[in-house]
Every structure is written in C-alpha cells, then in structure tokens.
Amino acid sequence: MKLEGKVATIIFKNDTNNWTVLLIKQKSEYITCVGETEDIEVDDELEFEGEVVAHKVYGEQFKFTSYKKVLPKTSAALISYIADNIAGVGKKTARKIVDAFGDDTVNVIRFSMDRLYEIKGLNTEKIESMNEFFNTEWEKWNTIEFLSQFQISTIVANRIYQAVGKDTIEIVKENPYSLLGFVKSLDFKVVDEIGRSLNVPLNNEERLDNGIIYAINKITEFGHTCVEKESLFSYCIELLQVDDAEISQSIMRLTLNQKLFIDKVEEKDYVFRQSMYWAEENVAKCIIEHTRQNIKQKDISKLIDKVSENNEIILSEEQKNAIFTCLNNMISIVTGGPGTGKTTIIKCIIDILEEQKKNYVLCAPTGRAAKRITQTTGKEAKTLHRLLEISKIDDNDIDMFYEYQVKQIEDEVVIVDEASMIDIMMMNNLVKGVKPSTQIIIVGDVNQLPSVGPGSVLKDIIQSDIVPTVELKQIYRQSAKSDIIVNAHKVNDGVYPEFKSKDTDLFFIPTKTIEQTVAEISSLVSYRLETYVPLDTVKDLQILTPIKKTELGTGELNATLQEILNKKSLGKNQVEHMGRIFREKDKVMQIVNNYDKKYSIEGKFFEGIYNGDIGYIKLIDNENEKLYVEFDDERLIEYDFDELEQLEHSYAITIHKSQGSEFDYVILPIFTGYKKLLTRNLLYTAMTRAKKMLVIIGNKNVLNYMVDNLESKNRKTGLKEKLEKLLYLNEKSKK
C-alpha cells in the first residue's frame, strides 16, 4: 500500500545501516514510519510503499520497503522548498517566483531559467544554483522511481545514482549489467532481474561474464581461493540457464582478459578470480625469493644459553633447534599446539636479536592477539593493519584490498604470531610490505581454525615443505599438568577427551535439553564459579559458542548474561538501540573494521578499531548522545549513538571470534548446531582458548561427533602448488 505525507520529525537515524524512524504528517494525523532512508530532511514530501505492522513495543507503524520524494504540490510547500534548499533565496523571493509562474514554476526553473531574471533579487549565481538543484533532484528521484519497479530499494538505487549519474536510466535500459562495474557491492541476481525484465538475451556477454564472476565468489566465500572447473560449470549452467558451450566461451573470454585464471591443483583444473590468483602468486614469489637467500650460519649456541639463563628456563633440544632455525634462515615457521613453548621461543628470539642489536617488529593479525603477545613477551606488538597502515578500505572489495599500497617495513626482522589467522589477501599485503632483505619468522598453530578470510596460508606453506619449519610436539612440564592442554592435543589427534571429577582444570557437565544447558550456564555465572575460584565473572570469564542463533547462540545468551552480570540500576546509565540495551560496564565487541576511529596512547595518536576487539562501556552520555568504550585497558573510543550498530554484547562470543585470544576461564556449551560447522578444529580452537579452567556443558555425542568431523580442513587453495611450481622452475633454471 502507498502512504504520502510530509516529514515532521526524524526520530532516529542509524548511519551504519540507514535504518530510520520518521514521524510523517498526513493532514492532521501523525504516522510513525520505519525503514531504510538516505538524503531526507524535515519537511520533505515523501511517498512510501509498504504495510502497516504492529510492533510489540512501539505499537502500530508503517514499515516501508521503498519511498520517493514528491516535489511540492502546493504554493506554500513550493515556497518553503525553494527557500530551504537554495542558498541566498529567502521565503520573500521564493514567494515572488511562485506568484509569477504559478503551476509552471518547476518547469520554468528546470527548462526556462532565463525567465527567472524577471524576478527582483535573483542573480545568475542563484538562478543557476536553483536550476541545478531542481534538475539534480528530479533526475535522482526519477531514477530511484524507475529502479524501484525492479524491487531495488531506495538506498541501493541512490547508491547507483551517485555512482552512475544522470544517465543511469539510459545506461540501465541499454545494458543493466554495466551497473556491476560502477557499484561493486551490487548483487548480480538483483541486476539479473532487471536484465530479465528488460528482455536482455540470456547469452548476453556481459550477463554471462558477470554471472560467472558472481558464481565463483559465491562458491569460494567459505574460505576457498579457487573452485574446480567442473563445479563452476555446473553451478553456472543452473544460475545462468545457458548451455555449457556458452559458459566455456565466457570463461575463455574472462581468462584472456585476465579476470580469471585456470591452474592445476592436485592434477585438476581449478578456476581463480584475478585478485586471488595474483595474491597467491605474489606470496609464493616472496617466499621462494626468501628461501633462495643464504644467511651465513652462525653458532648462536652461546647466545641461546645466555638468554635461557637470563629467563631462568631450561630449553629442550627441540626449542633450541627452533630458535636456531628461525635466526639462521631468511624465512622460517614455528608451529605447535598449546603448551609446546611457542611463546618461550619468541621471547628468546627477541632477546637474541636485542643482543645482536637488530631492529625487529612483533605483530599479529588482531588487536587481542597483539595484546596477548605483548603481555607474554613484555614487548610491544602491532596489529598487521597498524604495521602496514591499512585504512579506509572496503573490506568486501577484494580487488581493492589486493591493490592496496601498504607501508614499507623498515625493520630487519618481522615476527608474526598467530599466523593461522592470516588469510591470503592479508598475507599478500604483508609480503608487499617486506623488503627482500627482511627476515620473516612465522609462528602459529596450524591445527586451529583457518582464517575467516579466504586461504589456508600457514597450512599451505608448511605442506609445501619449502620453508624451514619446526613442529613443536613436546608438552612442557607445567603445561603437561593441565588436562585442558593434554585433552586438546588428544582432540587434535582424533581421540575423545577424558574428564575427571576432581584435581582438574577441565570439566564436563552433561545436559539433556537446551533449556537445561542454559540453566547450567546461568547458575555457574551467577554464583557457582565464584564459590569455587576467585574471579571477575565479567573480565576473567568468557562464554564461547559455536553458533549465533537459537537459545545457545550469542544473541540469546548475551541477553541472558547481561541480566545476570550487569543488571539495570539507578546509578548506571543505559541506552536502547535497535532493540538492544547498552549499559555502563557492559562487555562489548567491535564487529566491523572502522579505520577512522581515533584514540591516543601515551600522547601518541592512532586510528582504527577492528572487528573482534573486546572492551567495556566506560560511560554513556545520554545528553550528548555519546558512548565511550575502553578497549585493552588503554584505548578509549567514542561512539555516537547512531554508530552503536558497530557494537554487540560479548559476554558470549562465537569460537571464530575468539581466535588469537586467551581467557582465564571459559564455558563452552556444546549441544546443537549446523553439523558441517561442528568440526574437530572448531572444538580444538575453543579448548585452547582457556588458560585456567574450561567447563564444557552439553551433549557428549555432539562433542564426540566434533572430534570425528574433519570437514573444515578441506579448503581449496593454490598456494602450495604455486610454491612447488616456482621452486621447480628455479631449480630448473640453475641447471
């Protein structure tokens, strides 16, 4: 249904997702309208398309799916419209214009602006400004109305208009698929609906080419960097409804234009998108170049003995070998599970580098991972974003991320911790930042979850057997006393974990229902854990869950836990946003990269807060609509209320979000979920997040299923093959 009226008040506007609550005046009535908007102001005349809904809190509302601006229809409205939007033209002059031209005012302004010189008080600058404004507004809203017939929202339509301009309608009619070149965030299926409505032939070249790029992106969005050619064919035939000859011709065309690449992976043809292929190629080249450089072998045994003595530790032969390998190769890897001494090795390497007066930089993929390695080594670690000065980039635009110009690293040695979290695009940016003379030391647990982004960088490099790698297997004395660590290694080996009833740091509480599982979590958090160990249940305890939805997902658990751990009270400010209540002292997480957020540490100014950073709400200033979050006990970040979509509660977080972090106490509900996601390395990663105590609550059968499920380890990538191929070509050229 349609609804038309004037904007009386903009009650709320979220600039992150454009969600808006409006009060619309219709004759003598006021109606609350909700939906996504852009570029609207009080007194705008709007026509909405939508339906009346009953909100359980706010009552009856008009929820719109699209809207358009309506040029003022009355003389009074037109006078206000001109005066409000044209600089230097007040209501008195606007009334003269409307009185002079009546119903023809808009046409005179748009098409016969010379006639406006008749009006006293107007000069060339004002007349041209008026003409430009009315034409731009008319063209934009005419375009938006045109696109709305294809079920394109006003927000997306406005984005298209901003990118394409006044010729949008003509361009769409001529070839709608060209829009994908202007607005990269557009979904191919949306544009394809326009194409079908306009009777564009199914075998149109731009349709096929863009459809194949869309298909490869969809198939590879679960971490793969490439897709088997046969699978791509099958998917594209179904998506595009053309025969395999058309698909074959389009793939050949895209390959010739270097938008796609076909390469062998495990003796089969795989198709890569351009940026993925070149990212892998660049990483492989850098690695091969580093392995070809020889470091004059030094006997550093005395230095190793010295630093071990200074740190009051006795290093095993395995650890000494790891230190020697790292310091005597231009690129090296140290991998191993919890308790195998990776951090000890990093500390010893740093001490030796300082003895040798070498410049080094310590870095990690995320803020929490960088903070953890800073705490364990006592040396500053930077995030890769901060080290490479990556900012102001669309994280969804992989081509832009591939082409990004990073800062060059001047240090002699780069030590990268938590390397299992690094995806191929970030690894490509890292290798762009290092010089051929930069020594690279990579540390990580290859058995943890792979990176959220595409690729299996650490695994691929290790499996290529090209980079000198030390795998730490020995669990050291202190760690061997931990049932968490011992059982995490068992899980990694495919053995079901064993649970004791006492003298342990690993507990299992069996439950029969989801409700019982939630009840157990609630009672542990409310009082049971505090009677067992001294802890701050907000800061020291973390609930990890495999899922986001259902009663055991992050959404429901956070609502429950907030009422237990941070109840509403008179002295505590709070603000409601999009159905969620943020309260002072709440534990929250940043869920998108925001490269513009500024903060200072010890007088130095920095920019950027990143997806996965956890903090605590320090202050809510309702009067000025500001909220302040303290991250890592040092970064105080200010948020406007309309930026709160960037935050979510983090009493409970997903296991994926916990990568690179450690928590003293962890509760892990394992009861239900999407079976393909319940994998061995998900369980292993969750278990290795806990330092002092891990409590698993749920169903033993589901737990054992996770131990048996290896599915997530099968990402399709081409880095290993590229490394082997480049090595072969280099060896061949020497002969």
Side-chain angles (χ1 to χ4, degrees):
M1 63 179 288
K2 285 183 168 57
L3 181 147
E4 188 175 323
K6 181 188 283 189
V7 179
T9 308
I10 301 173
I11 298 170
F12 171 80
K13 172 74 182 288
N14 185 322
D15 289 335
T16 304
N17 63 3
N18 295 298
W19 183 260
T20 312
V21 181
L22 302 164
L23 198 62
I24 298 297
K25 185 177 182 182
Q26 194 180 52
K27 296 180 181 177
S28 59
E29 281 188 275
Y30 287 90
I31 301 163
T32 302
C33 294
V34 295
E36 293 181 3
T37 69
E38 199 165 300
D39 291 345
I40 62 161
E41 296 177 358
V42 172
D43 290 334
D44 280 348
E45 291 276 351
L46 302 176
E47 181 184 288
F48 300 94
E49 184 78 40
E51 61 180 349
V52 176
V53 296
H55 191 281
K56 61 183 179 182
V57 176
Y58 301 112
E60 194 173 276
Q61 301 175 333
F62 187 86
K63 187 175 182 181
F64 57 90
T65 53
S66 66
Y67 68 94
K68 64 179 181 180
K69 278 192 181 180
V70 180
L71 286 177
K73 295 178 180 178
T74 66
S75 295
L78 187 54
I79 289 166
S80 295
Y81 191 70
I82 294 170
D84 290 343
N85 289 289
I86 311 301
V89 178
K91 283 195 173 182
K92 188 175 179 181
T93 305
R95 185 174 288 107
K96 289 180 185 177
I97 297 169
V98 174
D99 288 346
F101 303 114
D103 293 342
D104 205 30
T105 299
V106 174
N107 285 331
V108 168
I109 293 171
R110 291 191 62 216
F111 305 115
S112 307
M113 64 177 185
D114 286 348
R115 294 179 62 189
L116 293 171
Y117 284 103
E118 301 170 17
I119 307 300
K120 190 176 179 181
L122 291 180
N123 56 27
T124 300
E125 184 182 352
K126 293 174 184 177
I127 290 169
E128 288 179 350
S129 175
M130 205 181 310
N131 172 263
E132 183 182 356
F133 175 77
F134 269 79
N135 278 327
T136 301
E137 282 290 285
W138 186 89
E139 286 162 357
K140 180 170 77 172
W141 290 100
N142 190 43
T143 299
I144 289 170
E145 185 176 9
F146 169 76
L147 292 172
S148 70
Q149 67 183 297
F150 306 113
Q151 283 69 57
I152 292 180
S153 72
T154 305
I155 301 299
V156 175
N158 189 60
R159 201 180 305 148
I160 291 170
Y161 181 81
Q162 296 299 330
V164 183
K166 62 181 183 180
D167 299 323
T168 301
I169 294 175
E170 288 72 23
I171 287 172
V172 170
K173 286 179 177 178
E174 183 180 339
N175 181 8
Y177 299 96
S178 62
L179 289 177
L180 294 160
F182 289 104
V183 187
K184 291 192 176 182
S185 58
L186 274 181
D187 191 304
F188 169 80
K189 286 191 172 182
V190 171
V191 177
D192 201 34
E193 283 299 315
I194 302 175
R196 288 169 181 257
S197 300
L198 297 174
N199 298 314
V200 176
L202 292 179
N203 64 351
N204 173 276
E205 285 189 6
E206 285 209 51
R207 176 179 185 268
L208 296 180
D209 291 356
N210 281 294
I212 288 169
I213 296 293
Y214 168 82
I216 196 169
N217 288 342
K218 290 302 287 183
I219 296 171
T220 59
E221 68 183 11
F222 293 104
H224 310 291
T225 63
C226 57
V227 57
E228 192 176 347
K229 193 175 178 182
E230 288 184 12
S231 299
L232 182 62
F233 261 78
S234 301
Y235 185 88
C236 288
I237 289 168
E238 183 180 345
L239 173 72
L240 300 170
Q241 295 178 13
V242 294
D243 60 33
D244 56 359
E246 297 279 7
I247 301 296
S248 182
Q249 192 173 8
S250 182
I251 288 176
M252 186 182 299
R253 185 166 52 247
L254 288 164
T255 305
L256 288 171
N257 291 328
Q258 293 199 340
K259 292 184 178 179
L260 294 182
F261 286 84
I262 298 174
D263 206 356
K264 293 283 185 187
V265 178
E266 298 172 350
E267 302 304 316
K268 291 182 179 178
D269 281 343
Y270 275 76
V271 183
F272 294 78
R273 191 170 161 181
Q274 172 193 3
S275 50
M276 294 290 186
Y277 180 89
W278 284 120
E280 288 188 344
E281 188 80 3
N282 290 344
V283 171
K285 283 179 180 176
C286 176
I287 289 170
I288 295 297
E289 285 171 7
H290 272 68
T291 58
R292 290 176 68 188
Q293 298 180 60
N294 293 320
I295 291 181
K296 188 177 179 181
Q297 296 291 316
K298 298 176 183 176
D299 183 4
I300 56 172
S301 55
K302 288 183 180 179
L303 277 174
I304 293 174
D305 291 339
K306 182 179 179 180
V307 298
S308 61
E309 185 178 332
N310 289 344
N311 287 296
E312 298 181 347
I313 53 174
I314 299 171
L315 295 170
S316 68
E317 289 305 312
E318 183 183 66
Q319 289 176 313
K320 289 179 180 179
N321 178 42
I323 296 167
F324 183 88
T325 299
C326 291
L327 292 172
N328 284 294
N329 288 281
M330 283 300 292
I331 184 166
S332 56
I333 294 173
V334 176
T335 187
T340 56
K342 296 190 298 296
T343 303
T344 298
I345 288 165
I346 292 175
K347 287 168 73 174
C348 289
I349 288 171
I350 288 171
D351 287 349
I352 291 171
L353 291 173
E354 290 180 349
E355 283 280 337
Q356 295 175 329
K357 295 186 170 26
K358 283 191 175 182
N359 296 324
Y360 67 89
V361 62
L362 189 58
C363 58
T366 66
R368 289 196 65 81
K371 179 187 176 185
R372 189 185 64 78
I373 196 64
T374 296
Q375 290 172 334
T376 54
T377 63
K379 308 294 181 182
E380 183 195 9
K382 297 180 178 180
T383 64
L384 288 171
H385 279 90
R386 187 169 147 200
L387 175 66
L388 299 169
E389 294 189 355
I390 297 172
S391 63
K392 297 179 178 64
I393 192 168
D394 181 354
D395 294 327
N396 296 315
D397 189 341
I398 63 168
D399 293 327
M400 186 188 293
F401 202 66
Y402 167 74
E403 294 164 359
Y404 196 88
Q405 295 300 307
V406 301
K407 180 188 177 186
Q408 290 298 295
I409 299 168
E410 299 298 330
D411 300 272
E412 297 170 86
V413 184
V414 175
I415 304 169
V416 188
D417 194 26
E418 294 289 353
S420 63
M421 300 173 67
I422 301 177
D423 62 35
I424 191 61
M425 302 311 289
M426 182 56 84
M427 189 66 183
N428 177 57
N429 279 317
L430 177 61
V431 302
K432 283 193 292 186
V434 300
K435 300 175 181 177
S437 59
T438 306
Q439 198 172 351
I440 304 171
I441 298 169
I442 300 170
V443 183
D445 184 351
V446 74
N447 294 305
Q448 282 191 30
L449 284 170
S451 56
V452 175
S456 298
V457 175
L458 184 62
K459 179 183 172 186
D460 285 352
I461 298 172
I462 291 172
Q463 288 191 345
S464 73
D465 205 25
I466 288 169
V467 174
T469 300
V470 177
E471 183 181 1
L472 305 173
K473 296 180 179 178
Q474 182 180 342
I475 303 174
Y476 292 94
R477 187 169 55 191
Q478 193 63 35
S479 298
K481 296 177 183 177
S482 166
D483 288 323
I484 298 171
I485 290 175
V486 170
N487 280 278
H489 282 272
K490 282 183 179 180
V491 165
N492 190 50
D493 292 334
V495 179
Y496 299 151
E498 296 177 2
F499 301 96
K500 301 175 186 174
S501 58
K502 59 180 181 178
D503 299 324
T504 184
D505 56 2
L506 174 65
F507 300 88
F508 180 75
I509 301 174
T511 55
K512 294 181 179 179
T513 64
I514 290 177
E515 292 75 17
Q516 188 185 353
T517 307
V518 174
E520 288 286 353
I521 294 170
S522 299
S523 65
L524 281 168
V525 168
S526 298
Y527 64 92
R528 283 163 59 192
L529 273 178
E530 286 183 326
T531 61
Y532 189 76
V533 289
L535 83 161
D536 181 330
T537 47
V538 175
K539 292 196 173 183
D540 300 333
L541 173 68
Q542 185 62 58
I543 287 79
L544 302 181
T545 174
I547 50 180
K548 285 188 171 184
K549 297 181 179 178
T550 79
E551 294 94 325
L552 290 175
T554 52
E556 295 282 346
L557 282 175
N558 274 314
T560 300
L561 292 165
Q562 184 192 37
E563 289 310 303
I564 296 171
L565 296 171
N566 193 27
K567 292 178 181 176
K568 181 179 180 180
S569 65
L570 286 175
K572 217 179 279 180
N573 290 331
Q574 65 180 44
V575 59
E576 183 174 352
H577 176 78
M578 299 291 288
R580 291 180 299 174
I581 293 172
F582 289 100
R583 194 171 287 150
E584 287 175 350
K585 297 186 179 180
D586 266 343
K587 188 176 185 178
V588 292
M589 175 185 281
Q590 176 80 15
I591 59 170
V592 294
N593 288 335
N594 186 329
Y595 301 98
D596 297 321
K597 282 293 179 189
K598 294 178 175 61
Y599 61 93
S600 65
I601 300 175
E602 296 178 353
K604 292 182 181 179
F605 286 88
F606 303 98
E607 287 185 352
I609 188 78
Y610 301 106
N611 189 352
D613 287 350
I614 291 177
Y616 303 88
I617 297 178
K618 195 87 171 171
L619 174 70
I620 296 175
D621 181 352
N622 283 299
E623 184 178 346
N624 295 302
E625 297 190 345
K626 303 283 187 185
L627 181 148
Y628 297 86
V629 180
E630 187 174 64
F631 293 91
D632 303 326
D633 301 321
E634 59 179 2
R635 294 180 292 164
L636 190 65
I637 306 290
E638 176 189 291
Y639 294 83
D640 293 328
F641 280 1
D642 59 10
E643 295 179 305
L644 297 185
E645 191 69 16
Q646 297 178 34
L647 296 173
E648 64 181 28
H649 295 96
S650 61
Y651 299 104
I653 63 175
T654 62
I655 297 167
H656 280 88
K657 289 283 191 184
S658 74
Q659 281 182 272
S661 303
E662 285 186 338
F663 311 96
D664 285 347
Y665 302 91
V666 170
I667 295 175
L668 175 63
I670 299 289
F671 193 90
T672 186
Y674 182 49
K675 284 196 170 183
K676 282 194 173 183
L677 297 180
L678 296 175
T679 60
R680 181 187 297 177
N681 59 353
L682 188 76
L683 176 59
Y684 173 78
T685 300
M687 293 179 71
T688 55
R689 300 308 89 205
K691 290 196 292 184
K692 294 181 180 179
M693 181 188 293
L694 171 63
V695 182
I696 302 176
I697 306 173
N699 187 316
K700 183 71 75 71
N701 291 333
V702 176
L703 188 69
N704 292 344
Y705 172 84
M706 293 180 77
V707 176
D708 294 332
N709 185 11
L710 286 167
E711 182 153 347
S712 69
K713 293 194 175 182
N714 299 323
R715 284 188 174 186
K716 291 300 178 186
T717 64
L719 180 58
K720 176 175 174 284
E721 279 70 16
K722 287 182 177 68
L723 283 164
E724 292 169 345
K725 182 180 177 182
L726 282 173
L727 181 66
Y728 170 76
L729 292 173
N730 279 323
E731 294 297 324
K732 190 177 178 182
S733 66
K734 292 178 184 177
K735 294 178 181 178

